[in-house]
Structure formats: structure tokens, C-alpha cells
Amino acid sequence: QVQLQESGPGLVKPSQTLSLTCIVSGATIRTSAYYWTWIRQPPGKALEWMGAIHYSGNTYYSPSLNGRTSISRDNAKNTVYLQMNSLQPEDTAVYYCKVVVVRLGRPTRDYWGQGTQVTVSS
């Protein structure tokens, strides 16, 4: 069973950089079928896909975030990271780490972390 555990600062001031960590257990992030994804949900709004990283190191980002996002991983620590700069109050959201399992080019299942609340406020 794949388990994901997000962690982060909770409260960030406007214009600062957010750094989130997703520790993975029950699977290795160096698996070709897995895409490690970050998703967020602002209060009262829909889920928003932010980006993903593949075991190969290829990364994919939502254009709506205007290049503010960076996703990386540490294979030795089996951990995936999210960095997002120039935070604004509208970036307040619950941030989720998710892994999508892809087989024959199609997503077959996914696993979610419990999410971590990030509030952007001075």
C-alpha cells in the first residue's frame, strides 16, 4: 500500500517561497509507472492540478501557475518536493501529494496524501 505524507510550514507570508515535502512509503519513487503529482484545493474551490514529476526526472507544470512552481525529488530519501515562489493570499489552499499509476499509457489508479494546509497571510 502506497502512503504519502505531506508536510509544510502551515503559514507563509506574501511574496515568500513555499516549500512542501511528500514522504513516500510502500513504494519507491524510482518506478517508471508512477507520476508524482501536486494538487491543491483553495477554500470553496475545485481541485487544481499543479504539476508532476516522473521517475525519469521529467517534470510537467500547469501553465496557470506562470512558472512559479518547481517539483523535484530525492531518490535516496524517497521524497518528492514542491517549491512555489511569490506566494499570494489566493495561494491559500490545502496542498496534496498524489501518485498516479500509469499502465500502457493510461492512468489506472492513484494514491493521495492527507493534505497539508497552507495559509498565505501577513
Side-chain angles (χ1 to χ4, degrees):
Q1 179 76 7
V2 181
Q3 293 186 320
L4 310 173
Q5 179 67 56
E6 306 96 336
S7 61
L11 179 64
V12 181
K13 294 185 184 300
S15 80
Q16 288 188 339
T17 296
L18 172 67
S19 295
L20 297 179
T21 297
C22 175
I23 298 174
V24 179
S25 59
T28 174
I29 64 174
R30 294 173 291 173
T31 302
S32 61
Y34 291 174
Y35 286 79
W36 304 93
T37 304
W38 287 96
I39 292 172
R40 68 180 181 177
Q41 186 168 31
K45 296 186 179 181
L47 293 168
E48 178 185 12
W49 181 85
M50 302 179 68
I53 187 167
H54 186 236
Y55 93 108
S56 62
N58 290 340
T59 51
Y60 312 86
Y61 298 108
S62 171
S64 67
L65 296 175
N66 299 318
R68 296 193 292 134
T69 307
S70 176
I71 298 174
S72 59
R73 87 274 197 232
D74 185 326
N75 292 335
K77 295 182 178 180
N78 219 36
T79 299
V80 180
Y81 304 97
L82 172 74
Q83 276 204 325
M84 188 172 183
N85 57 35
S86 304
L87 256 65
Q88 297 302 317
E90 52 265 33
D91 294 311
T92 294
V94 178
Y95 286 73
Y96 296 93
C97 179
K98 182 179 90 165
V99 59
V100 178
V101 184
V102 177
R103 306 286 186 190
L104 300 177
R106 294 188 174 186
T108 56
R109 68 173 304 168
D110 54 35
Y111 300 91
W112 292 71
Q114 84 288 349
T116 185
Q117 173 70 45
V118 174
T119 300
V120 184
S121 176
S122 55

